[in-house]
Amino acid sequence: MSELTISRRGLLAGSALLLASTALPTIGFAQTPKKGGRLVLAADSEPRNLNPAIVASNGVFFISSKIVETLAEASFDGKDGLQPRLALSWEGAADGLSVTFKLRDGVKWHDGKPFTSADVAFSALQIWKPLQNLGRTVFKDLEAVDTPDELTAIFKFAKPTPFQLIRNALPALSSVVPKHLYEVGKIEDNPANNAPVGTGPFKFAEYKAGQYYRLTRNDAYWGKDEPYLDEIVYQVLPDRTSAAAALEAEEIQLAAFSAVPLADLDRISKVPGLKVITKGYEGLTYQLVVEINHRRKELADLKVRQAIAHAIDKDFVVKTIFLGYAATATGPVPKNDPQFYTADVPTYPFDVAKANALLDEAGYKRADDGKRFALKLLPAPYFNETKQFGDYLRQALAAIGIDAEIINNDAAAHMKAVYTDHAFDLAVGPPVFRGDPAISTTILVQSGIPDGVPFSNQGGYKNADLDALITKASETLDTAARTELYKEFQKKVAADLPLINVAEWSFISVARDTVGNIANNPRWAVSNWADTYLAS
């Protein structure tokens, strides 16, 4: 493949010319997919590792999901909310000890080698289970993958494992990499981690640090007549205001993951040729939580935690910090998850008088200066909204006599302080709900988590009944019974408040109206974009 040299100025100028020549009628009209064209979009970060089989995170998926495919993807209307990718079907055994995958025939890796069940077995046993940040939990009991033929992979588990969990994990945790490129040498050091080779509709072409990632069309893709686009270019624009300006100047055609500041959305929605899209992130719900260090005597008291919960005006947070692009939370499962969510949980309406009364009952009277005690508050630095909520929470706590000192750290220092050193009293965190409470959610409240595990219970909270419920749910094979256990899990978390769930939000996309097939699955921004196109 010949190398294409792209300067930032030349790239943006070229895309502006392309857009100028592709005017589109009103976005309400149906569009016929067109082949060809270069989609240029904003990227606000540069992942150090582009292998989603190792790092299952949205920053990596955003780029690599177009290159490296999973066994299945999320779907609005598919059975069990899934759509086949590299696997055509999946079936769990009644005893929970195996899952059989039938794989897609005729798939080739980008280097021309055939995709087979050996690649799935290698990925699962050598990467997902031992190395992947989330797979280490979901696939902990996976002991073997049988491959009776090239298109069958049978996962064998040492202990009964709920099929519902494995099924729900497929979109995020089942990225398959080529065995022939990874079987020699240390997986973590493989050069394909930064120049991935996959089976997806697009091939990795090049990366220029601080400038762009470029993907090109895979002409041998298994999808009939797909992909439509010739190229995808991720323009590195870490400043959100830059993304908004680039869209208005027609220098880029898409900004996903709320790259445009929420405060600009109302104005930008009125700009001719631009559309604001709120769909396509339903499978990527972020949760705004107050993490609590239960080693602190005051915070180990349930009445104090209840008081803090009553001091937070969730409606105000949603309307003012998120400008309405969020929902109030009731517990550890978001409202937009129809499979597990229940509203039948204890709630804590905004009530400053009740909060003060609870603190008085707990024995923490106001001193002459009006203060009861002081806390260290560490807002996560990842989003403007988490930092803004930190400022709001400090004021909310002051209203009930708690003096909160805000400590702002960069990402690395925040992670170390909260999840390794436990050097916090309260922290503001944005964990992600990934479609099943066993995937990155129960870990927020389960005891016994080793130091240093991000987005986990590093507050020292221990509840034997809750731990037992989490364990039981992880071993329950009956789908209906398992779902009910997780509804009970929500009730217990809301009642004892190991942490406080405040709000839940997804993201916003802004696109030129020349971009077609946007937001057509619940994980669209991190799906393969095989059917995304530029209209002419």
Side-chain angles (χ1 to χ4, degrees):
M1 179 176 60
S2 61
E3 181 177 355
L4 173 64
T5 303
I6 309 177
S7 70
R8 180 178 185 276
R9 182 179 298 274
L11 171 67
L12 297 183
S15 62
L17 287 172
L18 172 67
L19 283 164
S21 65
T22 56
L24 187 75
T26 307
I27 64 174
F29 294 143
Q31 301 173 10
T32 301
K34 301 285 185 179
K35 280 199 169 187
R38 172 194 291 168
L39 175 65
V40 185
L41 63 149
D44 65 357
S45 64
E46 297 174 79
R48 296 180 181 178
N49 187 324
L50 285 176
N51 184 348
I54 296 177
V55 184
S57 76
N58 292 335
V60 175
F61 290 143
F62 187 36
I63 298 170
S64 295
S65 59
K66 289 71 183 161
I67 306 165
V68 179
E69 294 187 294
T70 54
L71 295 176
E73 185 53 273
S75 170
F76 285 125
D77 51 15
K79 183 182 177 183
D80 298 317
L82 293 174
Q83 179 183 25
R85 283 288 191 266
L86 291 177
L88 293 174
S89 67
W90 38 91
E91 183 176 353
D95 60 7
L97 293 176
S98 68
V99 177
T100 299
F101 292 93
K102 294 295 184 180
L103 306 177
R104 190 179 295 276
D105 193 8
V107 177
K108 293 187 181 298
W109 294 102
H110 292 158
D111 61 6
K113 302 286 187 181
F115 159 78
T116 72
S117 55
D119 299 306
V120 176
F122 179 86
S123 298
L125 292 171
Q126 303 303 321
I127 304 183
W128 305 348
K129 178 180 177 178
L131 300 178
Q132 191 186 79
N133 54 328
L134 301 177
R136 283 179 291 192
T137 298
V138 173
F139 296 105
K140 61 183 175 59
D141 294 320
L142 180 66
E143 62 177 358
V145 179
D146 293 347
T147 54
D149 59 59
E150 291 189 344
L151 298 178
T152 304
I154 305 172
F155 285 35
K156 297 291 187 71
F157 295 91
K159 296 179 181 178
T161 300
F163 178 51
Q164 182 188 39
L165 169 60
I166 300 303
R167 194 177 63 207
N168 289 342
L170 295 179
L173 275 60
S174 69
S175 297
V176 183
V177 299
K179 177 184 177 182
H180 64 276
L181 293 183
Y182 277 91
E183 60 186 340
V184 177
K186 191 174 181 181
I187 289 172
E188 298 95 315
D189 297 334
N190 196 297
N193 291 334
N194 290 309
V197 174
T199 59
F202 297 94
K203 296 180 178 182
F204 180 84
E206 62 178 329
Y207 163 59
K208 298 291 185 183
Q211 297 182 50
Y212 62 85
Y213 297 85
R214 184 171 67 90
L215 315 183
T216 57
R217 187 179 195 276
N218 173 17
D219 292 326
Y221 185 55
W222 54 261
K224 184 180 180 181
D225 298 326
E226 293 177 336
Y228 295 129
L229 296 168
D230 288 334
E231 287 188 323
I232 299 176
V233 176
Y234 294 82
Q235 182 67 51
V236 177
L237 296 172
D239 182 2
R240 287 186 179 188
T241 56
S242 296
L247 277 165
E248 293 186 84
E250 301 189 16
E251 295 172 344
I252 64 174
Q253 298 128 305
L254 172 67
F257 279 112
S258 297
V260 174
L262 296 181
D264 287 344
L265 290 178
D266 182 60
R267 177 187 59 78
I268 210 166
S269 69
K270 299 179 176 66
V271 175
L274 289 178
K275 51 186 176 180
V276 175
I277 303 122
T278 58
K279 286 187 63 180
Y281 297 95
E282 292 80 357
L284 306 172
T285 303
Y286 277 67
Q287 299 172 287
L288 183 70
V289 303
V290 179
E291 297 170 297
I292 298 170
N293 194 338
H294 292 256
R295 301 172 185 84
R296 177 71 185 255
K297 176 174 67 74
E298 295 90 341
L299 298 176
D301 189 322
L302 176 59
K303 288 185 177 180
V304 173
R305 302 198 297 273
Q306 290 172 333
I308 294 173
H310 280 296
I312 298 171
D313 187 344
K314 295 180 180 180
D315 288 329
F316 177 85
V317 170
V318 166
K319 293 174 183 175
T320 305
I321 293 177
F322 290 95
L323 303 181
Y325 293 100
T328 58
T330 59
V333 174
K335 295 173 180 176
N336 68 0
D337 186 281
Q339 188 174 192
F340 294 104
Y341 176 74
T342 178
D344 184 19
V345 299
T347 58
Y348 304 88
F350 177 54
D351 190 333
V352 173
K354 186 165 186 177
N356 277 309
L358 282 165
L359 290 171
D360 289 341
E361 291 173 23
Y364 299 104
K365 305 290 185 180
R366 290 180 185 265
D368 291 342
D369 62 0
K371 298 177 182 178
R372 302 177 191 272
F373 53 85
L375 297 173
K376 292 182 178 179
L377 170 60
L378 280 64
Y382 318 118
F383 301 105
N384 288 338
E385 292 76 22
T386 53
K387 292 182 284 188
Q388 291 169 9
F389 177 73
D391 292 332
Y392 163 79
L393 183 58
R394 180 184 62 80
Q395 298 174 41
L397 293 173
I400 59 173
I402 298 175
D403 183 20
E405 176 193 3
I406 289 185
I407 299 175
N408 289 309
N409 291 313
D410 63 21
H414 179 83
M415 296 288 275
K416 185 175 186 295
V418 176
Y419 301 110
T420 300
D421 299 340
H422 312 138
F424 74 104
D425 295 316
L426 299 176
V428 180
V432 183
F433 183 80
R434 300 184 185 274
D436 192 294
I439 306 173
S440 69
T441 299
T442 55
I443 196 174
L444 299 172
V445 297
Q446 189 174 12
S447 67
I449 306 299
D451 290 348
V453 178
F455 304 111
S456 68
N457 174 21
Q458 296 299 340
Y461 173 76
K462 295 179 181 179
N463 183 319
D465 289 342
L466 187 58
D467 284 344
L469 179 62
I470 291 170
T471 299
K472 184 177 180 181
S474 72
E475 299 171 349
T476 297
L477 302 182
D478 181 81
T479 297
R482 183 171 181 267
T483 300
E484 287 304 312
L485 286 171
Y486 281 123
K487 290 182 178 179
E488 184 64 27
F489 162 77
Q490 293 168 73
K491 294 178 184 179
K492 286 185 177 296
V493 171
D496 207 36
L497 293 176
L499 47 73
I500 300 171
N501 287 86
V502 178
E504 48 212 33
W505 82 98
S506 292
F507 294 97
I508 310 295
S509 298
V510 180
R512 304 300 311 180
D513 54 16
T514 50
V515 185
N517 280 344
I518 293 180
N520 55 7
N521 77 62
R523 287 167 38 87
W524 180 78
V526 295
S527 64
N528 69 13
W529 293 7
D531 63 349
T532 299
Y533 65 93
L534 292 173
S536 58

